[in-house]
Amino acid sequence: MYVELMFILYVVGFLAPLPANGWKALALRFLICLGIVIGLFYWTSRLDFLLTLVFSIPVICFGAGALSGSATRAVLLGLRWKASTGKGVLVILIGVLALPAARVAAGLYVQWQSRTAYAALPTASTLPMIPACDVFRETGPLIKTVMTRRSSETRPGAMPAQDIQILYPAAYREPFPPSYPQPDEKLPWVNFEMYISDAQPAPIKDENDADGNIIPLVKRRSSILFHFRSRPPIAKTALLLLNITHGKSIELEEMPDIKLANSTYPGLSLVVSPQPNPTYQETKSFVSMHEGFIEELVECSGAGTFPHCSFALDESGIPIEGTFPQTSLSKWASIPDNIRAFASCSVAAGKKDAG
């Protein structure tokens, strides 16, 4: 429906200059269309970013139609052909279809280039033969990314950053796999999404129903959004994150004593003291401890139309953060296992690829 509406706006713009009986009338009609486009762009520029993006596309379609219609009318005037004749109708049909056809051709060319690029990539069947990779072996081509991480080393002369190469299934990239995977991609932050139930990728097509309508978040199959990123290990940042929620400042020196209690979720302890500050009154914080250090941090909002939980943990030297529906908190025992397996497999595959 959206594509059809954009095409109608394009045709409206195309038809606007066609009735011009001469060059002056054509110039006047073109200037009127140009003024409409400039005025609408000025109006959209005063909206927030999302609304600007939404309303700019129809304006561009109308403007493209007006430009194509003006060029078509100029050809008819130059050749002195009437629009009602067979030759005139043919010129009009070519004019109205030229830009859409070029757009479709460009899209097909981009798809061909993308398929060619992905065909040259290794597939998940080549992942290292370790248990962490077993669940990911049927997930398609692999993308290589070099991640730049902040170093936790504080000794004088230590390198301020470390690079780590990862190789992972492209299908997990969020919001969607890149059209052209770059062999030398270098990023400090990579986003992924997987289903909680089976650790399989969550494709963007699953966000729409059979009729093309967007499925509300609360009705979608539960998935987890997470990212590999550059930050110090969670053992060093967890207290700071907890202080934002439960403390009175963001200074570690003023961190209040944290008291824990058993929770109903295996492996997680509930932070019971101090209580969350007023800004995070509905938030519940959980931690997983190992040898006196926080190994996993989970914080659940408990409010809003789509309550969610955020988490932070480390695996194979990679700091990982993400979010998932609060309704899936009862499955936390398996969630970090899948995330850790994905990270561990990606790092092992990266090392294997690097030789």
Side-chain angles (χ1 to χ4, degrees):
M1 182 63 184
Y2 181 78
V3 174
E4 289 84 349
L5 180 59
M6 295 304 102
F7 183 73
I8 290 173
L9 288 173
Y10 168 80
V11 172
V12 170
F14 180 87
L15 294 176
L18 283 185
N21 295 321
W23 292 102
K24 290 184 178 180
L26 176 60
L28 179 60
R29 286 178 175 270
F30 176 75
L31 290 175
I32 291 174
C33 292
L34 181 62
I36 292 174
V37 170
I38 293 174
L40 290 175
F41 268 126
Y42 175 76
W43 174 72
T44 58
S45 66
R46 305 180 68 179
L47 305 174
D48 60 48
F49 175 77
L50 183 59
L51 290 177
T52 297
L53 183 62
V54 169
F55 286 107
S56 292
I57 296 176
V59 175
I60 292 174
C61 291
F62 175 82
L67 181 62
S68 182
S70 298
T72 301
R73 187 55 183 160
V75 170
L76 291 174
L77 290 175
L79 296 175
R80 296 185 179 181
W81 291 352
K82 291 184 178 181
S84 57
T85 63
K87 293 183 292 185
V89 171
L90 179 62
V91 170
I92 291 174
L93 288 176
I94 293 174
V96 74
L97 295 177
L99 281 181
R103 176 67 184 87
V104 171
L108 293 175
Y109 178 71
V110 168
Q111 291 179 16
W112 174 80
Q113 284 189 315
S114 181
R115 286 195 297 268
T116 301
Y118 273 98
L121 296 177
T123 64
S125 61
T126 63
L127 288 170
M129 300 303 295
I130 58 176
C133 294
D134 288 345
V135 72
F136 309 112
R137 296 195 191 281
E138 305 296 330
T139 50
L142 304 175
I143 293 181
K144 178 172 63 178
T145 299
V146 176
M147 292 192 61
T148 299
R149 305 174 300 156
R150 285 198 293 264
S151 174
S152 58
E153 182 59 69
T154 58
R155 292 179 300 174
M159 294 293 290
Q162 298 173 329
D163 288 348
I164 181 170
Q165 179 174 296
I166 56 175
L167 192 65
Y168 53 87
Y172 286 89
R173 277 286 285 266
E174 165 67 19
F176 42 76
S179 298
Y180 303 102
Q182 302 296 324
D184 56 349
E185 183 180 57
K186 193 170 185 178
L187 300 170
W189 186 305
V190 189
N191 296 316
F192 305 99
E193 183 177 9
M194 71 166 59
Y195 286 126
I196 291 176
S197 59
D198 56 6
Q200 292 303 296
I204 192 171
K205 64 180 179 63
D206 285 6
E207 297 178 3
N208 300 87
D209 59 21
D211 298 324
N213 299 316
I214 296 177
I215 303 174
L217 288 175
V218 294
K219 295 183 178 180
R220 293 180 191 173
R221 184 180 172 188
S222 295
S223 65
I224 182 167
L225 295 165
F226 63 100
H227 49 259
F228 297 166
R229 62 168 298 180
S230 174
R231 64 153 171 78
I234 186 61
K236 292 190 175 183
T237 57
L239 288 179
L240 176 59
L241 295 173
L242 282 172
N243 198 33
I244 294 174
T245 306
H246 295 263
K248 297 181 179 179
S249 73
I250 60 173
E251 298 295 332
L252 285 178
E253 290 77 7
E254 300 183 24
M255 186 66 209
D257 292 332
I258 297 294
K259 295 182 180 180
L260 306 177
N262 292 331
S263 73
T264 56
Y265 308 108
L268 292 177
S269 299
L270 175 65
V271 178
V272 294
S273 179
Q275 292 295 313
N277 62 50
T279 306
Y280 301 94
Q281 197 64 46
E282 302 293 330
T283 299
K284 288 186 177 181
S285 300
F286 304 87
V287 296
S288 175
M289 305 294 295
H290 179 70
E291 297 182 353
F293 290 96
I294 295 177
E295 188 177 50
E296 299 168 359
L297 172 63
V298 179
E299 294 189 306
C300 299
S301 62
T305 56
F306 185 64
H308 66 278
C309 298
S310 62
F311 73 90
L313 54 86
D314 303 316
E315 177 59 37
S316 301
I318 296 181
I320 307 170
E321 295 180 357
T323 61
F324 60 93
Q326 188 167 313
T327 53
S328 299
L329 181 58
S330 59
K331 303 176 183 177
W332 176 253
S334 63
I335 291 176
D337 290 343
N338 293 333
I339 300 299
R340 291 182 186 279
F342 185 83
S344 178
C345 179
S346 299
V347 172
K351 291 180 179 179
K352 176 184 175 182
D353 181 73

